């Protein structure tokens, strides 16, 4: 029963924190998940070509995108 409570309604990486040696010992009540949202139209106006889900895969990619936006702010906003 505890396995189902963890597996069915919890983010996989958070559910993993409830296990020890394959046994469920806790059911996470909540988690603090950081999300990154962006506007493709904003990036497009700044001249960024790659805006799909595969465009940012590393922190280096994200920092580079910030540098691009600093150097070429979007026009028309």
């Amino acid at each position: 029963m505890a396995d189902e409570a963890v597996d069915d309604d919890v983010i996989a990486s958070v559910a993993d924190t409830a296990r020890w040696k394959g046994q469920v010992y806790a059911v996470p009540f909540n988690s603090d998940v950081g999300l990154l949202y962006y506007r493709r139209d904003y990036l497009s106006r700044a001249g960024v070509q790659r805006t799909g889900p595969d465009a940012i895969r590393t922190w280096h990619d994200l920092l580079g995108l910030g540098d691009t936006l600093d150097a070429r702010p979007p026009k028309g906003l």
Side-chain angles (χ1 to χ4, degrees):
M1 181 167 160
D3 282 332
E4 295 168 359
V6 171
D7 293 334
D8 292 343
D9 195 33
V10 180
I11 297 168
S13 60
V14 174
D16 289 343
T17 67
R19 288 188 172 78
W20 176 255
K21 296 186 179 181
Q23 188 79 8
V24 174
Y25 285 92
V27 177
F29 178 69
N30 61 11
S31 60
D32 183 13
V33 179
L35 302 173
L36 176 65
Y37 294 94
Y38 64 95
R39 290 180 44 185
R40 289 184 185 176
D41 63 324
Y42 190 86
L43 297 175
S44 178
R45 288 180 186 165
V48 175
Q49 299 294 318
R50 292 178 49 213
T51 61
D54 64 335
I56 302 172
R57 294 209 177 252
T58 67
W59 286 111
H60 182 32
D61 294 340
L62 182 59
L63 291 172
L65 182 59
D67 291 341
T68 298
L69 291 172
D70 283 343
R72 297 187 316 240
K75 303 206 183 330
L77 291 180

